[in-house]
Amino acid sequence: MTTYSLKLDGPNKEIKPGKLAGNKGSNPKGESFGFTNFYMLRNDQPIIPVVGEFHFSRFSYLHWEEELLKMKAGGVNVIATYIFWNYHEEEEGIFNWSENRNLRHFVDLCAKHELPLVLRIGPFCHGEVRNGGIPDWVFDKPLEIRSNDELYLFYAKRLYRQIAKQVKGSLFAEGGPVIAVQLENEYMHCGAPLDSWAYKAGVFMSSGKGGNSHLAELRRIAEEAGITPMFFTATAWGGAAVPETDTLPMLAGYAYTPWIPNQPPSGEYIYRDLHVKPSEEVNYDTLDYPVAYCEMAGGMQVSYTARPNVSAESVEAMTLVKLASGSNLLGYYMYHGGSNPVGKHGFLNEYGLPKITYDYQSPLGEFGRVGKSYDRIRSLSLFMDAFGSVLAPMGTVLPEGQSAIHPEDTESLRWCVRQKDGSGFLFLNNFQDHLELPDREGVRIELDTAQGKVAFPHAGHLTLKRDVSAVLPFNIELEGALIVSATVQPLTKLNMDGQPVLVFYAHPSLAAELVFSRTSVASVELDASQAVEEANAIVVTPQVGKEHAFTVVLTNGQKVSVLVLTREETLQTYKFRLWGEDRLVISDSRLYAKDERLVATSEGKASWSVSIAPALPEKALLASMGAVQAKREGLFQTYLIEVPAYEPALTVSKPLERSALVELDTNWPNHVSDVFLKVAYDGDVAAAYLDNQLLTDHIHYGEAWPIGLKQFKDDLEHKQLHLSITPLRKGTVHTFVNQALVERFEGVEIAVFHAIEPIPYYTVALYQAFN
């Protein structure tokens, strides 16, 4: 057994107004935002926002609302989006703000669903778009981009005026969702490939000239156009320019980086004190601003030459490491992927990337695909929503040597603490990209705090499995109950029948226990759980699972329910405001809430369950389709839903081994909202065509290719979808120039379909019955 010790005898984090103290504002409802030097405020309370990047112009406008609701269900409470100049003014002087480019519609949907919005308005955006979003025709002009060149500013001003016209009346102070605006992107740090050059790959545009003077000029013309948000943001990594006032510097964290050849294990999974020292060079005083991430990898876009496969565990671990290291705003790039539009004169992708797909392996992907990281981010977002006001003021305390751990070090335990006044959270991480860390057995962590000594576990030792990351509380008072320590992770809290409920979850490798101080807890009422009473504490070994809960009786006589879920249940847990109160919902389907309806979508399974707490009477809910049975499970009412199974009629012919012609019956029943094709293949790249038009493409990176069909449903009727694979070559290519390039290949070409499987998405809405 190895014991790790840390004495928490330092001062609390110094919280002061900071440089953004004046950037506060309220809307007509009296809701407000503000800042200290360490965290953001919502209605004068500390918060840890979760920002999700979703490029509206890369998704069908017919489905924006559903996708925004899925983001909200996933725990995202701020939306960020780029406005790509070349998507809207591909031809000089002709602006397009219609259909998928309808910015106003997107803004209005964010307003409708109370999702604050950050607009990233360029002129340069990057975002893996052709020329970083700058239209081709701009490069025909006698001007210098990304500078205070008079002609360049003329076009930037025209763009800003167009944007201002689209979002008029939508600022937060006006009752709209727009709380912030980003001008430019990675300015003075990097440029994008100059795809309009076209003669040679690898030619990049300028990273910018003029520093803060150019950003100041962009701000002047933006404000002159009426774009006056509560605050501006700036991408601040890599020594980028950052204005000195009214601007929140934003950071990035990517572990899978195609721009680094033969990438070694990343330092993104090492604990640091980011408020004192960011992981890379910045041009501002970090102690005057909160640590805020606008681009923390929710995945990574594959390119032709770099094809990372980003695991869900990596996204979860990075989130916890950044949170532990002092980040008080977590933004995912991308949170929602999509598809590049086809321009009037060709494709609008960046060189070396897929022409259409921008799936990004993100939590929500192209066509609304739901990925495994979606569940992990949601569980952490629930924690930040419920306990962010407690965590946000806590400073990072690093055990000696933690920030100096090398990413390739597989021996050292990675851990740190955030604390205030001797209470806080212990963070553990046993994940590292590009290598495997061993299981940690025989671990004991002891903290000497201002409120006394605590240990994890209370007695004995714990095991931390490979790829597991966790956050555990100590000396935290929740709903009047003082938790001395716990080896279960806080998830959320709510009220049921006027009684508080604290929800935790158990990691498979950590034996579950909660230690309550007898100064606040008089007794516990148990069913299947066990408790040991000591002189100063009550140690509870809880029964884990949604059907088990126990009650803590406080010294003042009040009661608090405690529920400890399994890890599997946690990854199926949502929290919604439904039918008059906050409700916890656990389901093996995908959920979102709309208009007092709980919408459940099951991927490929015609039966599933939805468990709801506080429970409603047995027949209080009706289903839009199918048979529903109800049963009581502890605090939950569980509804078993079954709909008629549907097997989409599919015919596949293969004129060539590398080509498949797919015809699908599009007469889907009403309870089937979508059909995805799951295409398993080996090859280099693949493409899907309909009526000789490219619908989407896929660079092979080891995962099956998912194609959502609902937006093409009518077009597919009685037509064939052509799937084509470009072979992967294994062998030797000999080239030489003899007037023209001659290529001779010796080896094997691999291009084969293993399976083309249609997966129906069954959708049912649960709604309240009224007599």
Side-chain angles (χ1 to χ4, degrees), residues 35-57:
F35 290 94
T36 71
N37 70 318
F38 196 49
Y39 50 76
M40 197 171 180
L41 296 161
R42 180 78 190 261
N43 300 331
D44 298 321
Q45 294 298 310
I47 59 169
I48 302 179
V50 178
V51 183
E53 187 95 9
F54 178 26
H55 299 157
F56 66 96
S57 52

Side-chain angles (χ1 to χ4, degrees), residues 127-193:
E128 291 72 66
V129 168
R130 181 177 174 87
N131 305 324
I134 297 179
D136 280 33
W137 57 262
V138 172
F139 297 95
D140 299 336
K141 306 293 183 182
L143 54 76
E144 186 167 15
I145 64 166
R146 308 181 78 182
S147 77
N148 283 343
D149 178 286
E150 184 176 350
L151 186 56
Y152 178 71
L153 291 177
F154 167 81
Y155 290 117
K157 183 176 183 178
R158 190 172 70 180
L159 171 67
Y160 283 4
R161 283 179 170 177
Q162 281 279 327
I163 293 171
K165 182 179 178 181
Q166 297 300 314
V167 302
K168 185 176 177 60
S170 296
L171 297 174
F172 182 71
E174 300 169 310
V178 178
I179 60 171
V181 168
Q182 178 186 305
L183 306 171
E184 249 281 345
N185 187 62
E186 298 181 317
Y187 185 64
M188 301 291 290
H189 168 58
C190 72

Side-chain angles (χ1 to χ4, degrees), residues 70 298 310-312 335 359 361-366 368-378 571 574 590 603 706 761:
K70 285 161 63 176
V310 181
S311 70
Y335 187 90
D359 179 81
Q361 303 177 56
S362 48
L364 296 174
E366 191 180 26
R369 170 197 58 77
V370 180
K372 292 180 180 179
S373 60
Y374 177 78
D375 298 325
R376 287 160 173 78
I377 290 175
R378 187 180 64 253
L571 295 179
Y574 301 73
R590 302 297 184 180
E603 301 174 7
Y761 279 40

Side-chain angles (χ1 to χ4, degrees), residues 191-509:
L194 185 54
D195 290 315
S196 66
W197 173 251
Y199 295 104
K200 178 185 177 183
V203 175
F204 282 72
M205 63 180 63
S206 168
S207 62
K209 294 184 178 180
N212 285 350
S213 65
H214 178 53
L215 293 179
E217 188 62 18
L218 289 179
R219 175 173 173 173
R220 185 189 68 79
I221 63 176
E223 292 180 332
E224 185 181 81
I227 302 174
T228 55
M230 191 165 49
F231 62 99
F232 289 89
T233 71
T235 46
W237 55 86
V242 178
E244 294 182 4
T245 59
D246 304 329
T247 299
L248 175 63
M250 306 285 271
L251 301 174
Y254 292 100
Y256 299 82
T257 49
W259 53 89
I260 300 177
N262 303 315
Q263 182 194 332
S266 166
E268 298 293 343
Y269 303 97
I270 305 298
Y271 292 113
R272 313 174 191 275
D273 188 342
L274 294 170
H275 199 232
V276 174
K277 184 177 175 55
S279 55
E280 59 179 309
E281 177 189 358
V282 296
N283 285 328
Y284 60 94
D285 186 347
T286 60
L287 296 178
D288 279 332
Y289 302 91
V291 180
Y293 276 79
C294 67
E295 291 195 16
M296 196 169 62
M300 178 51 65
Q301 179 71 335
V302 296
S303 67
Y304 188 77
T305 55
R307 309 183 183 198
N309 192 330
V310 181
S311 70
E313 291 81 5
S314 70
V315 177
E316 180 179 26
M318 185 185 291
T319 300
L320 277 185
V321 168
K322 297 305 182 190
L323 193 62
S325 300
S327 179
N328 275 335
L329 185 151
L330 297 172
Y332 294 95
Y333 189 103
M334 296 290 295
Y335 187 90
H336 201 310
S339 308
N340 295 320
V342 178
K344 294 180 179 179
H345 307 291
F347 296 107
L348 295 173
N349 62 299
E350 181 180 293
Y351 176 83
L353 299 177
K355 293 180 174 67
I356 301 292
T357 185
Y358 196 67
D359 179 81
Y360 214 86
Q361 303 177 56
S362 48
L364 296 174
E366 191 180 26
F367 311 120
R369 170 197 58 77
V370 180
K372 292 180 180 179
S373 60
Y374 177 78
D375 298 325
R376 287 160 173 78
I377 290 175
R378 187 180 64 253
S379 67
L380 296 175
S381 299
L382 285 170
F383 165 70
M384 287 180 273
D385 177 66
F387 306 112
S389 61
V390 177
L391 176 62
M394 294 178 173
T396 298
V397 181
L398 295 170
E400 185 177 356
Q402 275 294 311
S403 61
I405 290 177
H406 194 276
E408 295 182 355
D409 179 353
T410 61
E411 300 299 322
S412 300
L413 180 70
R414 303 176 186 196
W415 65 290
C416 84
V417 164
R418 282 185 70 168
Q419 76 91 38
K420 179 184 179 184
D421 296 326
S423 67
F425 297 90
L426 166 69
F427 291 83
L428 302 169
N429 172 43
N430 202 27
F431 174 89
Q432 175 65 54
D433 67 303
H434 295 87
L435 57 82
E436 292 186 356
L437 298 181
D439 293 346
R440 312 284 181 190
E441 298 179 346
V443 171
R444 180 172 175 80
I445 295 177
E446 297 179 348
L447 304 177
D448 189 355
T449 82
Q451 298 185 37
K453 294 183 178 181
V454 298
F456 299 87
H458 184 63
H461 60 271
L462 58 80
T463 297
L464 186 68
K465 292 287 189 180
R466 174 171 59 88
D467 293 345
V468 170
S469 52
V471 51
L472 309 176
F474 64 90
N475 292 334
I476 292 285
E477 184 178 302
L478 300 177
E479 302 297 337
L482 178 59
I483 299 174
V484 178
S485 66
T487 56
V488 290
Q489 184 159 322
L491 181 63
T492 188
K493 60 181 180 179
L494 69 163
N495 280 278
M496 297 188 191
D497 300 324
Q499 184 169 306
V501 180
L502 298 174
V503 186
F504 300 83
Y505 74 91
H507 288 277
S509 64

